[in-house]
Amino acid sequence: MVIVVHSYVGHMIGRANEYQARPSDVPIGRTLASRKIRMQIQMGPVSATGSFLDDWDDRWMRVYSGAAGCTADANDGAHKTVEDWAEGGIHEVILDRTSDDNSPDADKKSSCTINPNVRYTTHAFWVRKDLENPHTFRCDSSRAILFYSSGCVLSTLRPVLIFDENNANEIQAARHVWTALYDPAVTYPKVGSGPAKKIPGGFIPHAPSCANLCLRRSTSKGVEKANRDVAIPECKKIRNYVRPDSCDEYPFATTLQGAGQTNTGYNYSVAIIHETQNCSQGGTMVQWYQRNRILDLDSYWVDVIRQGYSRPHSGAPGTVAHDPAPTSISLATCTIDGVS
């Protein structure tokens, strides 16, 4: 049995039908609210072993979404024979979290957890079999996400922010991130005889759910200032510099793992790079935060595509998105730190 789950985002804030899923994302002729989740179920050929081989195709079973925290439509728990499930094509269930658009929470956040399961109902027995580990979707209508008015994202697994050394506009920034993640001993500031640096955030394939290993975004200006107040003096210790040079830091100033946080110690890196590279990296982050609906305190991984390669260094799965944002990002207001 194959189960595919689709989540959606709406149009840009202020546009017509902003709370409807974009037409390019839904089947032709369909209209869905952007906080609905579409679950498609299809069973392939079935083989049986053991007893009751002769009548296996005639046994009845129900397939449930196992939804919690959201409302499933009437198609959930459909009751069919095994043969009908195997030959019936795609079965669809719609899960709904749109009611939370009126929540008093500033970001109007809510969650929907699915735990797909099968229940066999023939011959007076009722056996439940879970088909997958539970997965949770976080839905929101945050006004901080200007690109897409509302939507749902998978929160069980954390997204990966990827920088690309093949992008000439941010090669210096991408190389700095790679060095911080994969060769931290050569980064500034130096730790001397202290414990080796362990700079966080690098994607770990066997721990995709993140735990405490990811970076965590902070929208607090106080946190950002505290991080930069530590990072910039460390840049100036490397050498005196003036524009167009600038101070780049990793973990980023907009994270709770930044240089100025209590538990960070020396587990961060600073480097001097060209200000246009610094601004370009900032633009990439803004666009990525918007695409992935990264709100305050949300966690995420980081990785780098090395020059001459097409995949992230860690082997992180998935597709690297290069399509343009729905609106251009202006770098005119980019602020560069630690320069005179």
Side-chain angles (χ1 to χ4, degrees), residues 61-297:
M61 58 185 285
R62 293 183 183 272
V63 179
Y64 289 91
S65 66
C70 49
T71 304
D73 67 9
N75 289 331
D76 197 24
H79 199 201
K80 304 178 186 180
T81 65
V82 172
E83 182 178 22
D84 288 340
W85 274 108
E87 298 179 357
I90 296 174
H91 182 80
E92 186 171 284
V93 177
I94 302 297
L95 308 175
D96 190 355
R97 281 269 36 171
T98 57
S99 61
D100 294 294
D101 276 334
N102 297 317
S103 166
D105 173 70
D107 291 323
K108 298 179 171 59
K109 291 184 291 188
S110 61
S111 63
C112 175
T113 298
I114 61 171
N115 184 18
N117 61 88
V118 172
R119 298 179 186 179
Y120 304 97
T121 60
T122 301
H123 300 305
F125 66 85
W126 186 280
V127 179
R128 168 175 169 154
K129 178 175 177 57
D130 292 338
L131 301 177
E132 178 60 83
N133 293 326
H135 286 292
T136 299
F137 290 80
R138 199 280 311 283
C139 301
D140 73 84
S141 297
S142 174
R143 306 311 277 180
I145 307 297
L146 302 177
F147 285 4
Y148 316 106
S149 61
S150 65
C152 302
V153 292
L154 181 65
S155 60
T156 313
L157 306 179
R158 303 311 303 147
V160 186
L161 169 57
I162 297 171
F163 297 104
D164 191 348
E165 289 185 6
N166 298 288
N167 179 356
N169 293 326
E170 59 185 51
I171 184 174
Q172 294 176 19
R175 283 180 174 171
H176 176 214
V177 173
W178 185 91
T179 303
L181 292 176
Y182 295 105
D183 195 11
V186 304
T187 63
Y188 292 94
K190 301 296 184 181
V191 297
S193 59
K197 283 188 177 184
K198 295 181 179 180
I199 299 179
F203 178 72
I204 302 175
H206 64 268
S209 62
C210 187
N212 295 317
L213 305 172
C214 289
L215 299 188
R216 193 172 295 273
R217 185 187 182 190
S218 172
T219 58
S220 165
K221 293 300 181 183
V223 168
E224 184 176 351
K225 182 179 184 301
N227 289 334
R228 287 181 169 157
D229 284 350
V230 172
I232 291 169
E234 291 297 335
C235 271
K236 291 181 177 179
K237 291 178 184 178
I238 300 173
R239 62 175 172 84
N240 290 323
Y241 60 93
V242 296
R243 299 187 71 173
D245 285 339
S246 69
C247 184
D248 186 42
E249 63 189 281
Y250 179 87
F252 314 112
T254 54
T255 68
L256 294 180
Q257 289 72 33
Q261 301 308 295
T262 303
N263 296 323
T264 296
Y266 283 101
N267 295 313
Y268 67 95
S269 174
V270 298
I272 298 171
I273 66 174
H274 198 282
E275 63 181 356
T276 58
Q277 296 271 319
N278 214 337
C279 281
S280 180
Q281 182 192 52
T284 295
M285 290 178 61
V286 168
Q287 178 169 307
W288 188 84
Y289 281 162
Q290 293 279 315
R291 285 188 187 283
N292 292 275
R293 309 193 73 82
I294 304 297
L295 303 176
D296 188 37
L297 305 182

